[in-house]
Amino acid sequence: MSKALSQVPFATNEPVRTYAPGSPEVASLIAKYKEMWNQKIEVPMVIGGKEIKTSIHNRLESPQDHQHDLGFYHYGNMSHVDMAIETALAAKKKWSALGWEQRASIFLKMADLIAGPYRDELNAATMIGQGKNVHQTEIDAACELIDFLRFNVEFMTEMYSEQPVSSEGMWNRSEYRPLEGFCFAVTPFNFTAIAANLPTCMAMLGNVVVWKPSLSQVYSAHVLMKIFKEAGLPDGVINMVITDGAETAEKILSHKDFAGLHFTGSTSVFQNMWKMIGDNIHKYKSYPRIVGETGGKDFVMVHPSSDSVEVATALVRGAFEYQGQKCSAASRAYIPQSLWEAVKTEMGSQLSTIKVGSPEDTSNFVNAVIHKGSFEKCKKYIDNAKNDSDAEIVFGGTYDDSKGWFVAPTVILTSNPQYSSICEEIFGPVLTIFVYEDSKWEETLKLVDETSPYSLTGSIFSKDRYAIEEAYHALENAAGNFYINDKPTGAVVGQQPFGGSRASGTNDKAGSKMNLMRWVSVRSVKETFVAPRSYKYPFLG
Ligand code: NAD
């Protein structure tokens, strides 16, 4: 039992390293990248702290060179999922009884390990396995993850300290219990920080977790499991299985002790899992918590009063950083006729300097898309735009899969505001623009609001305060993260809590107290100091 009301270190955002050419930090990271690139690794599952190996070995692939031999991962089956569930449940009693300071220490240590000795390794694994350049990996695998860990520890203590009032003669308390049973984390390929945050934020609160990472994020997941262990996370608290998503979901979501789903990925996968939970609802001991952050079709809406260079820059960064594979990436833009020529000229001049290639060459701004499926999807939209009468390719439109999954940053101009590439999530470096008549600002706001089922991020650009106010209200439900005169990407933990609604998710804001609240079940405790000795209230005389 704790004998102090300890305060955790005040969380601040991890400074982003610049990796400027010639700097010692870039030399160190690229040296690590080359060292790891030339190694062949073997990635096991980790259940109860033990490395679990199988006879099925799947190739690890790098987006920038799909033939390069990186090694393999052990692919598991449903017996491993059963083992992970049993192991998690066995670890639960001791872990959930551990004092919160002990738990906090583990996750604070994790943050420090990533900020220090593991920074290059985790960044390099993310570059190799997920195709990020030095800047994109730094803001994800290093900074965002460190922030998630430190801020969540602080949010946890803020939550714990929220206590009810007590009337005379009694003491009321709220105890923030972990959920009864085990939790399930299912994570996407595109952020190492999300992959780590989903299981760790639940574990931090005393929960035990079965974690299923994306098969395209296994390399950095392997490094994360090493870091978790070195930070002192007890065996069995987070168990990583590398298995088929659909089968794993079916197995876990029908288990009586399933207590919560923390998901990030595509909308259809989340909706299927929600349906399964509904079908199984009578089997569970408790109503499970369901948190999902899903797809997006994020917009940039430009008012005629805007600065064309600022708009073009936001579009180039917002649409093409990490190849448009951020859930927040700008993928549709609405530009007034009067600004279009200037925006187009500036975009053309910026795009002409962008290099596409492997992240090993740090002068490449755009790298490869994650896998063949993604490459084919981008190709399909680009080829359609080349053939369709209501669309044209303004920039890019080329692709090359001879070595890696490379797609040039592509801008499609459409005359049809319902054109497929302006409505559907592509998740690649493809931006679609609709040019509207300046006089139709108001109806274009309606169009922005109604074009897609998603509501994740969006930006408006304007120098006119009345226009900003109008867009702010008209687009109230069109984005969970709303930007004014900025690109719609780059949310920072503690500054812009992230998440969207409509088909984009449950909007529980990853890396915030709101999210942590979902993984606890409060016990209200009332203690009476001097108990009554007769049933008679004063009104009875
Ligand atoms: P995905 O949906 O293909 O995969 C996500 C996870 O679900 C992976 O672990 C995958 O193995 C698993 N999975 C796949 N099929 C499954 C099934 N039938 N049942 C259960 N699990 C299954 O997504 P992805 O390609 O890894 O990531 C891209 C998607 O994630 C995009 O739609 C993007 O918008 C979304 N995303 C959203 C946010 C957000 O905060 N809203 C953040 C990152 C990514």
Side-chain angles (χ1 to χ4, degrees):
M1 268 305 236
S2 174
K3 295 173 193 68
L5 298 175
S6 319
Q7 281 182 353
V8 294
F10 181 67
T12 54
N13 293 112
E14 175 70 9
V16 178
R17 290 185 179 172
T18 59
Y19 298 101
S23 62
E25 63 207 29
V26 79
S28 166
L29 177 52
I30 294 300
K32 193 73 188 172
Y33 177 100
K34 287 182 175 159
E35 177 196 323
M36 289 167 67
W37 183 260
N38 291 315
Q39 284 167 355
K40 291 191 194 0
I41 63 157
E42 183 182 339
V43 179
M45 292 179 280
V46 180
I47 300 175
K50 292 192 184 60
E51 295 195 343
I52 306 292
K53 301 186 175 181
T54 71
S55 56
I56 302 181
H57 299 171
N58 287 353
R59 272 191 71 226
L60 276 171
E61 197 187 275
S62 175
Q64 48 266 26
D65 184 351
H66 41 63
Q67 294 311 309
H68 180 72
D69 187 9
L70 282 172
F72 65 87
Y73 60 86
H74 290 268
Y75 193 57
N77 58 36
M78 291 312 105
S79 71
H80 301 110
V81 175
D82 277 331
M83 193 194 296
I85 296 170
E86 292 316 313
T87 307
L89 288 171
K92 177 73 191 288
K93 195 167 173 206
K94 222 170 153 189
W95 175 242
S96 62
L98 191 67
W100 70 263
E101 295 98 326
Q102 310 304 332
R103 283 185 272 121
S105 286
I106 292 169
F107 295 96
L108 290 171
K109 177 167 179 174
M110 238 177 240
D112 276 19
L113 288 171
I114 296 163
Y118 278 94
R119 195 178 196 118
D120 280 351
E121 187 176 341
L122 191 59
N123 274 333
T126 303
M127 292 168 73
I128 292 171
Q130 290 140 266
K132 296 204 172 193
N133 63 32
V134 286
H135 177 66
Q136 293 305 317
T137 193
E138 171 73 5
I139 58 176
D140 163 22
C143 301
E144 188 175 24
L145 176 48
I146 295 163
D147 290 350
F148 273 139
L149 292 163
R150 292 185 180 148
F151 276 87
N152 276 340
V153 166
E154 187 169 294
F155 295 145
M156 172 177 77
T157 60
E158 280 177 16
M159 183 174 78
Y160 283 177
S161 63
E162 271 174 32
Q163 293 294 328
V165 295
S166 298
S167 301
E168 207 182 315
M170 67 179 74
W171 184 13
N172 295 323
R173 283 167 272 167
S174 288
E175 185 192 19
Y176 293 83
R177 301 171 301 179
L179 304 182
E180 202 179 0
F182 71 97
C183 297
F184 184 29
V186 183
T187 56
F189 78 83
N190 65 337
F191 277 88
T192 301
I194 296 177
N197 179 50
L198 267 50
T200 55
C201 76
M202 297 192 288
M204 187 180 287
L205 299 163
N207 293 293
V208 288
V209 183
V210 177
W211 170 35
K212 200 212 79 60
S214 159
L215 299 182
S216 300
Q217 187 260 323
V218 169
Y219 200 124
S220 59
H222 175 57
V223 181
L224 286 172
M225 287 308 289
K226 278 202 296 190
I227 298 170
F228 295 173
K229 195 170 186 76
E230 189 165 335
L233 190 72
D235 294 345
V237 174
I238 295 178
N239 304 280
M240 181 180 78
V241 294
I242 310 178
T243 46
D244 177 77
E247 277 184 65
T248 308
E250 208 177 312
K251 168 78 58 189
I252 288 188
L253 302 181
S254 58
H255 196 286
K256 69 175 175 28
D257 293 310
F258 163 66
L261 169 65
H262 204 183
F263 174 83
T264 298
S266 54
T267 299
S268 61
V269 170
F270 183 55
Q271 291 186 349
N272 277 337
M273 284 205 264
W274 193 305
K275 261 191 220 150
M276 273 190 219
I277 294 171
D279 288 343
N280 289 324
I281 200 73
H282 57 284
K283 295 185 183 161
Y284 307 133
K285 198 180 265 177
S286 312
Y287 294 106
R289 300 286 167 90
I290 309 174
V291 171
E293 293 301 333
T294 59
K297 188 69 190 171
D298 310 302
F299 62 83
V300 175
M301 173 57 171
V302 180
H303 186 259
S305 62
S306 309
D307 178 302
S308 56
V309 176
E310 290 173 6
V311 170
T313 305
L315 290 177
V316 169
R317 282 188 167 176
F320 303 126
E321 283 186 303
Y322 191 39
Q323 298 77 262
Q325 298 173 121
K326 299 185 184 191
C327 40
S328 53
S331 61
R332 54 185 176 122
Y334 300 80
I335 318 268
Q337 185 74 55
S338 60
L339 274 190
W340 172 228
E341 274 312 311
V343 170
K344 185 165 89 174
T345 305
E346 180 60 27
M347 281 187 86
S349 117
Q350 295 195 16
L351 286 169
S352 68
T353 65
I354 282 182
K355 288 174 59 193
V356 180
S358 164
E360 185 179 339
D361 175 350
T362 58
S363 64
N364 289 325
F365 184 81
V366 170
N367 315 108
V369 297
I370 191 72
H371 48 43
K372 186 175 168 57
S374 173
F375 178 85
E376 294 297 337
K377 190 172 185 186
C378 296
K379 189 167 167 259
K380 185 190 86 180
Y381 281 97
I382 291 171
D383 290 346
N384 287 347
K386 286 178 182 165
N387 295 321
D388 291 338
S389 59
D390 48 359
E392 63 174 287
I393 306 274
V394 187
F395 300 111
T398 57
Y399 38 74
D400 178 1
D401 63 352
S402 53
K403 185 165 189 201
W405 309 115
F406 293 105
V407 178
T410 297
V411 178
I412 297 172
L413 177 68
T414 182
S415 54
N416 171 8
Q418 302 304 329
Y419 184 67
S420 57
S421 72
I422 208 167
C423 299
E424 296 161 14
E425 186 181 50
I426 303 173
F427 224 59
V430 182
L431 167 70
T432 305
I433 289 176
F434 175 72
V435 175
Y436 70 91
E437 285 172 37
D438 288 37
S439 59
K440 295 192 171 159
W441 158 256
E442 207 173 306
E443 62 187 87
T444 308
L445 283 174
K446 198 163 180 308
L447 184 66
V448 172
D449 186 44
E450 293 175 356
T451 292
S452 103
Y454 301 110
S455 167
L456 192 52
T457 74
S459 308
I460 54 145
F461 272 82
S462 174
K463 302 274 182 217
D464 175 337
R465 261 299 141 187
Y466 291 114
I468 292 174
E469 173 83 349
E470 194 182 351
Y472 187 78
H473 290 296
L475 300 173
E476 180 180 352
N477 294 307
N481 281 59
F482 189 73
Y483 294 82
I484 302 169
N485 293 322
D486 203 346
K487 63 184 171 57
T489 60
V492 173
V493 178
Q495 298 196 37
Q496 299 96 22
F498 191 80
S501 54
R502 294 186 181 162
S504 291
T506 53
N507 199 15
D508 289 292
K509 302 293 189 199
S512 75
K513 202 162 48 169
M514 291 167 269
N515 182 288
L516 298 190
M517 292 293 300
R518 303 302 309 276
W519 312 117
V520 292
S521 179
V522 174
R523 175 161 72 150
S524 295
V525 180
K526 174 188 174 189
E527 180 175 347
T528 297
F529 295 128
V530 182
R533 298 175 68 82
S534 159
Y535 80 93
K536 286 190 176 171
Y537 292 108
F539 78 91
L540 293 172

